[in-house]
Amino acid sequence: MQSKLPNVGTTIFTVMSKLALDTGALNLSQGFPSFDCSPELTALVGHYLNGHNQYAPMSGVPKLREALAQKTADCYGIAYHPDDEVTIVSGATEAIFSAVTTVIRPGDEVILFEPVYDSYVPAIELAGGIPVYIPLSPPDFSVDWAEVRSRITDKTRLIMVNTPQNPNGRVWTRADLEELAAIVQDKDIFLVSDEVYEHILFDGRVHHSLMTHPVLQARTFVCGSFGKTYHVTGWKIGYCLAPRELTREFRKVHQYVTFSTITPVQYALADFLKHPEPYQSLSAFYEAKRDLFLSAIQGSRFTYTPAEGSFFQLLSYRQITDEYDYDLAIRLTHEIGVASVPVSVFYHDQTDHKLLRFCFAKDDETLLRAGEKLSKL
Ligand code: PMP
Ligand code: GLN
């Protein structure tokens, strides 16, 4: 058949995780924790497995929507109404897909900041949209706002933001929000803000959610994931926060993508969300892991700028080899037994900055062993 996504192959996360499995390599490629979630959370799920096993309401279990609205107000001081501004979905991937589908018509342009998370472009293309790429470069991956302004046209319908950003770990500043607001305030442009790493920020940084700027909040679909915050990526449960009018349209799509998401887990999360400690301690937890990994490669020829947020660290191998990053990622998996993700896959033209992405959401022993292997290069 004729492909609707001719330029899309199998996602790099599947490719590298499979290779790690096949070769027995340490898997620092796909972004998921190697450790388990809180036993209290699994106990809650166990509890709610009794009698809560049928379809949840389409928009999510009311007590989870209420708990999430309360947590959002506690964290950012912004009130989303649980009835018509909070929707529980099957992971941030679904939130992003449904939000893009809600907004984009054929021919609409969507501004993206590269390196861009791999699910965005297929969602845009399936809706008939046209991706407009703004490349960001190492070491700081900062946004050139003059360039963004120069790329806006009458067809620009959506700008997609990801902070903290995967794969490069960059965190947007308040100044970035102000620049974005100045661009969109008098235009018919929507925003999708992927904030799945909202609780993983380092060196005293704070998360500037797009919801905290009134001009941005009014036009933003904030997409989040419980998977990252509670070490449960396999549960595929996330949410979309958006003003009433946007949520009404978003739900029209969501109800025919998945309709609703897993019921007992929603009840369990509603209870668990009431405890701030797990998400308040997450930054310190992952900062220690980032620092352990970086200290473990101290003697190596890799160079780096410490990640500002997320659970990914980029390492530059310019001093080691001139190879294409994809080839190197494959070779290192086979030869030294450490799997990573090449950063060129996050650029539409495969720009090779000689960077590999390593996920440090791993137990300390794995990080130390990986560091030891990488230091031999
Ligand atoms: N956005 C980004 C930037 C991600 O890194 C991920 C997953 N790791 C997702 C979205 C998808 O989240 P979920 O697993 O909740 O679908
Ligand atoms: N977001 C994860 C990563 O960046 C992977 C999620 C997935 O495999 N779809 O590695």
Side-chain angles (χ1 to χ4, degrees):
M1 73 179 274
Q2 199 186 348
S3 176
K4 287 186 73 179
L5 294 170
N7 301 321
V8 171
T10 302
T11 158
I12 190 72
F13 310 121
T14 299
V15 171
M16 293 309 301
S17 272
K18 179 172 186 314
L19 189 61
L21 202 65
D22 291 349
T23 57
L26 300 173
N27 189 2
L28 275 61
S29 63
Q30 194 177 19
F32 64 89
S34 69
F35 36 86
D36 210 355
C37 65
S38 156
E40 284 160 50
L41 184 52
T42 46
L44 282 167
V45 174
H47 171 73
Y48 286 113
L49 277 170
N50 296 309
H52 294 87
N53 295 308
Q54 309 312 327
Y55 291 128
M58 180 272 277
S59 59
V61 162
K63 77 178 215 172
L64 178 55
R65 282 188 273 112
E66 282 155 23
L68 181 58
Q70 186 59 53
K71 170 186 170 274
T72 305
D74 293 346
C75 288
Y76 306 113
I78 307 299
Y80 283 93
H81 199 290
D83 288 349
D84 48 18
E85 298 187 312
V86 177
T87 310
I88 307 300
V89 298
S90 297
T93 310
E94 196 226 305
I96 292 160
F97 186 87
S98 295
V100 168
T101 305
T102 300
V103 170
I104 295 305
R105 295 183 169 84
D108 286 345
E109 292 178 4
V110 183
I111 294 203
L112 300 167
F113 300 98
E114 290 183 308
V116 62
Y117 184 64
D118 75 339
S119 80
Y120 301 0
V121 171
I124 294 164
E125 290 183 336
L126 287 172
I130 300 162
V132 175
Y133 299 98
I134 310 251
L136 310 181
S137 300
D140 60 350
F141 294 96
S142 57
V143 178
D144 175 349
W145 288 102
E147 181 175 7
V148 180
R149 279 191 291 278
S150 76
R151 305 293 294 279
I152 302 279
T153 73
D154 290 348
K155 292 189 175 151
T156 310
R157 177 99 171 137
L158 178 66
I159 299 176
M160 296 183 74
V161 173
N162 176 209
T163 179
Q165 190 171 354
N166 179 4
N168 50 316
R170 178 169 188 257
V171 170
W172 276 38
T173 62
R174 196 75 213 165
D176 288 318
L177 265 54
E178 296 293 348
E179 293 275 9
L180 182 60
I183 289 174
V184 299
Q185 64 181 354
D186 52 3
K187 297 191 180 62
D188 188 18
I189 295 177
F190 292 94
L191 302 164
V192 166
S193 187
D194 176 350
E195 304 186 8
V196 301
Y197 301 105
E198 64 180 316
H199 295 300
I200 311 179
L201 288 98
F202 308 134
D203 308 312
R205 287 183 181 80
V206 292
H207 175 57
H208 295 289
S209 172
L210 265 57
M211 74 175 76
T212 60
H213 194 298
V215 168
L216 303 179
Q217 194 272 346
R219 59 188 75 227
T220 300
F221 298 84
V222 176
C223 301
S225 174
F226 295 109
K228 316 290 161 173
T229 302
Y230 296 124
H231 314 313
V232 289
T233 61
W235 290 3
K236 293 300 297 188
I237 177 162
Y239 52 87
C240 175
L241 308 174
R244 184 166 297 127
E245 197 197 335
L246 274 59
T247 293
R248 191 179 59 229
E249 296 306 308
F250 176 90
R251 288 183 182 173
K252 289 183 190 175
V253 176
H254 159 71
Q255 69 182 342
Y256 295 125
V257 175
T258 55
F259 180 69
S260 65
T261 197
I262 182 167
T263 309
V265 167
Q266 293 197 49
Y267 280 98
L269 284 169
D271 290 353
F272 202 67
L273 227 54
K274 298 204 172 103
H275 309 296
E277 197 278 332
Y279 59 81
Q280 283 175 349
S281 59
L282 202 61
S283 289
F285 174 79
Y286 275 125
E287 186 168 319
K289 294 212 172 278
R290 179 201 64 177
D291 292 348
L292 182 73
F293 180 59
L294 290 178
S295 69
I297 55 134
Q298 233 19 267
S300 78
R301 288 185 291 160
F302 285 104
T303 57
Y304 59 82
T305 305
E308 297 177 355
S310 82
F311 46 49
F312 302 111
Q313 176 64 50
L314 300 188
L315 298 183
S316 166
Y317 59 85
R318 269 185 204 283
Q319 294 181 13
I320 301 173
T321 169
D322 197 31
E323 281 166 270
Y324 179 42
D325 64 356
Y326 191 93
D327 297 340
L328 181 64
I330 303 281
R331 185 168 75 78
L332 293 187
T333 309
H334 283 287
E335 289 182 10
I336 68 160
V338 181
S340 59
V341 167
V343 172
S344 65
V345 300
F346 302 99
Y347 287 88
H348 74 287
D349 58 0
Q350 285 82 47
T351 304
D352 181 13
H353 285 298
K354 309 292 177 201
L355 291 168
L356 297 177
R357 188 197 81 172
F358 294 85
C359 173
F360 53 81
K362 305 294 162 189
D363 54 277
D364 291 356
E365 201 205 318
T366 300
L367 294 175
L368 291 171
R369 281 172 59 210
E372 199 179 308
K373 288 167 180 284
L374 292 167
S375 297
K376 294 200 178 115
L377 289 169

